[in-house]
Amino acid sequence: MIQWQQEFKNSLRTPNDINAFFGTDLKDIEYNSFIPKSFAQKIKEAGPQSSLWKQFIPAQQENEQIDGMYDPIGDTTHAKAKQLIHRYKNRALFLPTTVCPIICRYCFRKNELTFKDDLFKADFQNTIQYLKDHPEIEEIIFSGGDPLILSDEKLREYLEAFANVGIKCIRFHSRVPIIIPSRLNENFIQLINEFSSKFQTITLVTHLNHSEEISTEVEAVITKLKKETNLLLLSQSVLLKDVNDNSDTLADLFWAIHKIGIRPYYLHHPDLVKGGMHFHLDLETGRKIFLQLRDKIPGWLIPHYILDIPGGHGKTPAFNPESLEFSGTLIDRYNKIHRYKNMQ
Ligand code: SF4
């Protein structure tokens, strides 16, 4: 077994495993637990007040939430085949796995992944048929679960099939570069280089929310990818209560992301996810933080601050230059107005 697969296998998988490793006192948690021991050691060293602990150690509050939605961004509304979500005209999300390198306690797909929603059942022939019938789809976004937890062989099979139906761009959204950086090894680099002539762009969007997540291993791996591949390296972050909800922490994060050679792309306002509502903050607070952030970092370093309108209506800018106060409605890309309940 290669190193990264060994790291993945050697993981804490239950509240009891977590209690034994961290000395916590968790009872039954309704949602899955999963932390590779190599990353658990980093969390332990960072301690209970750290952003790592707050993001990845389960909390008893997850069980007690009545607010929040099972599918906050309306994945199922746009599911066109199993594992395929077509929400925007020229791009589609592909969900090849429910497995992640760690379980982020705030995850927007927390319920769909835990309860193994039908959406994740494989039916690749239908996916390919749908893409053949919809040549307007130019980009496939591998999401999940985490697509980079798949073997190189499986990724090769998918990339080959997408190249054969004329997909122009590939994008991976992944937490793997932060949690198991050793997965992005020589073989992975070879795989990316093998396909870089078959697609116009291959993008890796690394998910990270705090500068504490950037270890020396992460920096080394990203530097190598930058040198040895044509990957477009972007980031996405989620604004999370008590993790990164102030402009100084975010400014540190985006400078740290820039320093390792990644361009900040998205800052997501947290979704209204059942079991993750203790990370939620209201839109006025988010706007105030973003306003302060604009004063602390240059324009080229500022990500798009966006919010997914519940019900599957897609992303919309979360910042409003006309008002920090929230009116109670949001406008989607078709100029339709939607009510949005700003919970705290
Ligand atoms: S890696 Fe992504 S999909 Fe998996 S738990 Fe974290 S946020 Fe959710």
Side-chain angles (χ1 to χ4, degrees), residues 51 53 93 122 128 193 198 201-202 233 246-247 257 260 320:
S51 64
W53 192 289
L93 273 185
I128 290 298
N193 288 338
K198 298 191 179 175
T201 313
I202 306 181
L233 297 173
N246 68 77
S247 55
I257 287 173
I260 60 170
N320 178 0

Side-chain angles (χ1 to χ4, degrees), residues 105-302:
R105 309 316 302 179
Y106 54 85
C107 176
F108 68 119
R109 292 211 176 100
K110 186 171 186 134
N111 297 281
E112 293 152 274
L113 289 169
T114 298
F115 304 114
K116 302 259 184 294
D117 198 281
D118 268 4
L119 182 60
F120 290 95
K121 288 194 179 135
D123 190 357
F124 197 55
Q125 284 319 312
N126 270 332
T127 292
I128 290 298
Q129 190 54 52
Y130 186 84
L131 296 178
K132 283 182 183 165
D133 295 341
H134 292 81
E136 72 273 18
I137 298 176
E138 297 175 318
E139 183 179 30
I140 287 291
I141 302 166
F142 281 71
S143 183
D146 194 312
L148 295 189
I149 218 67
L150 298 173
S151 67
D152 292 332
E153 294 68 34
K154 199 71 202 164
L155 287 175
R156 180 174 283 107
E157 193 183 312
Y158 288 137
L159 290 172
E160 202 71 69
F162 292 138
N164 287 342
V165 292
I167 295 298
K168 289 186 188 151
C169 300
I170 292 291
R171 197 190 320 168
F172 296 104
H173 281 234
S174 177
R175 241 194 180 299
V176 160
I178 301 297
I179 309 300
I180 312 185
S182 59
R183 194 267 171 263
L184 306 179
N185 55 15
E186 292 295 343
N187 291 344
F188 177 75
I189 288 176
Q190 223 178 352
L191 176 77
I192 294 298
N193 288 338
E194 187 183 320
F195 281 92
S196 59
S197 58
K198 298 191 179 175
F199 298 105
Q200 281 182 13
T201 313
I202 306 181
T203 305
L204 171 58
V205 182
T206 297
H207 173 173
L208 76 171
N209 301 323
H210 197 287
S211 58
E212 287 178 339
E213 295 171 40
I214 303 178
S215 61
T216 47
E217 297 104 295
V218 172
E219 182 167 0
V221 153
I222 298 292
T223 305
K224 196 167 164 57
L225 287 180
K226 208 170 162 61
K227 260 195 206 148
E228 298 182 17
T229 70
N230 283 333
L231 277 171
L232 173 62
L233 297 173
L234 303 177
S235 72
Q236 64 170 343
S237 306
V238 191
L239 183 59
L240 296 170
K241 188 175 183 176
D242 208 23
V243 171
N244 60 9
D245 56 341
N246 68 77
S247 55
D248 285 336
T249 302
L250 290 177
D252 276 357
L253 168 66
F254 296 125
W255 276 122
I257 287 173
H258 169 65
K259 194 170 157 241
I260 60 170
I262 297 179
R263 191 190 310 159
Y265 178 31
Y266 277 142
L267 173 64
H268 298 268
H269 192 76
D271 295 310
L272 299 167
V273 55
K274 185 171 184 299
M277 288 302 289
H278 48 304
F279 291 100
H280 194 74
L281 42 85
D282 65 72
L283 200 48
E284 284 95 339
T285 305
R287 286 177 176 173
K288 282 179 196 156
I289 294 168
F290 191 72
L291 184 77
Q292 290 163 4
L293 179 67
R294 291 167 75 200
D295 199 35
K296 290 183 180 166
I297 57 175
W300 53 263
L301 196 55
I302 294 178

Side-chain angles (χ1 to χ4, degrees), residues 4-169:
W4 74 268
Q5 289 170 331
Q6 191 61 52
E7 271 186 67
F8 178 76
K9 202 170 162 230
N10 193 11
S11 292
L12 310 174
R13 294 162 190 266
T14 65
N16 283 345
D17 291 349
I18 291 174
N19 288 340
F21 191 88
F22 290 100
T24 43
D25 184 25
L26 298 169
K27 309 280 185 294
D28 282 346
I29 299 285
E30 200 175 319
Y31 297 96
N32 293 339
S33 298
F34 190 87
I35 311 176
K37 275 198 187 151
S38 51
F39 199 82
Q41 190 54 40
K42 292 187 175 113
I43 300 174
K44 199 179 205 176
E45 284 161 19
Q49 294 314 314
S50 68
S51 64
L52 303 185
W53 192 289
K54 290 171 187 167
Q55 291 181 83
F56 303 117
I57 302 296
Q60 223 58 54
Q61 297 134 284
E62 295 175 32
N63 288 354
E64 295 148 14
Q65 297 183 4
I66 44 167
D67 285 338
M69 303 164 79
Y70 177 92
D71 172 15
I73 70 166
D75 282 335
T76 43
T77 316
H78 298 283
K80 300 300 178 190
K82 298 292 182 204
Q83 302 184 309
L84 192 77
I85 299 172
H86 189 193
R87 196 181 335 250
Y88 303 94
K89 190 176 172 195
N90 72 336
R91 54 206 186 273
L93 273 185
F94 176 53
L95 311 175
T97 178
T98 54
V99 180
C100 294
I102 197 163
I103 292 185
C104 312
R105 309 316 302 179
Y106 54 85
C107 176
F108 68 119
R109 292 211 176 100
K110 186 171 186 134
N111 297 281
E112 293 152 274
L113 289 169
T114 298
F115 304 114
K116 302 259 184 294
D117 198 281
D118 268 4
L119 182 60
F120 290 95
K121 288 194 179 135
D123 190 357
F124 197 55
Q125 284 319 312
N126 270 332
T127 292
I128 290 298
Q129 190 54 52
Y130 186 84
L131 296 178
K132 283 182 183 165
D133 295 341
H134 292 81
E136 72 273 18
I137 298 176
E138 297 175 318
E139 183 179 30
I140 287 291
I141 302 166
F142 281 71
S143 183
D146 194 312
L148 295 189
I149 218 67
L150 298 173
S151 67
D152 292 332
E153 294 68 34
K154 199 71 202 164
L155 287 175
R156 180 174 283 107
E157 193 183 312
Y158 288 137
L159 290 172
E160 202 71 69
F162 292 138
N164 287 342
V165 292
I167 295 298
K168 289 186 188 151
C169 300

